[in-house]
Amino acid sequence: DVKVTQSSRYLVKRTGEKVFLECVQDMDHENMFWYRQDPGLGLRLIYFSYDVKMKEKGDIPEGYSVSREKKERFSLILESASTNQTSMYLCASSLSRADEQYFGPGTRLTVT
Amino acid sequence: DAKTTQPPSMDCAEGRAANLPCNHSTISGNEYVYWYRQIHSQGPQYIIHGLKNNETNEMASLIITEDRKSSTLILPHATLRDTAVYYCIAGAGSYQLTFGKGTKLSVIP
């Protein structure tokens, strides 16, 4: 059974803190994605990775960085969290370019 | 990505077929039509996708018009668990999926 897991369901951090969000997939998928979801704005792509150590910017990469050292793991990093980064963060993976994406359950991050 | 247009909300009686329309009049020849849904507080779930031909799987059917400018997702026997936001996306592949606002489907007992 396909599985994408995220390290936390809920997270509360203070402004200026460095935040790590972890995502793991067990399907040997090539591609992994990070989105954020905000009311009225839908899902917006932050970064994606098509291979180990490879990454591409999505639509809203500012304020974020990513790391993919192993095929199964894709990390999203907020170098200095700000209140406007309070959001639901969703990780996804797909086998190949035309294939469907499988999503994790999401991490609801609150920055105070 | 081609832009897609969906109604913001729809109701469907439990046990009846739910037909969710999507307009993608600017879709290009190499772009697929993908459907996902998101149940409240969960991550989106893939339903089905197609290029030209109609597709069916255990969850739903996808009907794409011959000119590919619109499509319909059909849930043959809607249940209360199908209440969700349904997203229609047109894109050439995983890298190019832009999720819009979708259609909020409410299945009524």
Side-chain angles (χ1 to χ4, degrees):
Chain A
D1 200 17
V2 162
K3 200 157 187 185
V4 178
T5 56
Q6 295 182 228
S7 49
S8 306
R9 286 286 274 146
Y10 300 93
L11 206 54
V12 180
K13 295 291 182 181
R14 293 189 180 274
T15 301
E17 279 193 85
K18 190 169 187 176
V19 181
F20 293 87
L21 301 182
E22 301 283 334
C23 176
V24 177
Q25 51 96 2
D26 65 358
M27 298 162 283
D28 202 34
H29 282 175
E30 300 292 330
N31 310 302
M32 296 188 75
F33 307 82
W34 274 106
Y35 295 87
R36 65 178 281 177
Q37 184 172 30
D38 301 286
L41 296 176
L43 272 78
R44 293 179 291 169
L45 182 64
I46 304 171
Y47 269 97
F48 67 92
S49 168
Y50 52 90
D51 201 351
V52 175
K53 297 191 187 294
M54 306 303 288
K55 62 186 179 186
E56 291 286 342
K57 293 179 180 178
D59 298 321
I60 50 163
E62 296 79 20
Y64 304 95
S65 62
V66 290
S67 172
R68 193 165 179 204
E69 298 296 318
K70 293 184 177 181
K71 191 175 186 180
E72 68 271 16
R73 190 177 297 268
F74 192 35
S75 302
L76 180 70
I77 303 152
L78 287 66
E79 294 290 341
S80 178
S82 63
T83 55
N84 64 10
Q85 293 179 309
T86 291
S87 186
M88 169 70 89
Y89 289 88
L90 289 153
C91 174
S93 71
S94 71
L95 179 60
S96 71
R97 193 177 174 117
D99 284 319
E100 63 271 22
Q101 294 185 29
Y102 293 90
F103 283 81
T107 295
R108 186 165 294 281
L109 172 68
T110 301
V111 182
T112 61
Chain B
D1 285 3
K3 180 177 166 57
T4 60
T5 304
Q6 299 177 254
S9 64
M10 290 181 63
D11 291 340
C12 177
E14 188 178 16
R16 305 295 294 267
N19 296 280
L20 291 93
C22 180
N23 189 297
H24 33 79
S25 59
T26 61
I27 195 169
S28 60
N30 66 338
E31 288 183 318
Y32 292 80
V33 178
Y34 296 83
W35 283 85
Y36 288 77
R37 73 180 182 183
Q38 188 171 23
I39 296 168
H40 184 62
S41 297
Q42 298 181 23
Q45 177 190 22
Y46 166 79
I47 301 172
I48 199 166
H49 75 284
L51 185 63
K52 292 181 184 178
N53 300 320
N54 298 337
E55 302 286 344
T56 296
N57 64 19
E58 64 279 3
M59 288 183 68
S61 295
L62 173 60
I63 308 298
I64 303 173
T65 58
E66 196 168 335
D67 63 9
R68 301 209 327 123
K69 292 185 177 182
S70 65
S71 61
T72 302
L73 178 76
I74 301 171
L75 307 178
H77 305 287
T79 71
L80 298 179
R81 286 176 294 181
D82 292 321
T83 292
V85 178
Y86 287 77
Y87 297 97
C88 167
I89 304 154
S94 291
Y95 302 167
Q96 298 178 328
L97 298 187
T98 301
F99 286 74
K101 297 183 180 179
T103 296
K104 185 174 182 179
L105 175 69
S106 298
V107 179
I108 312 297

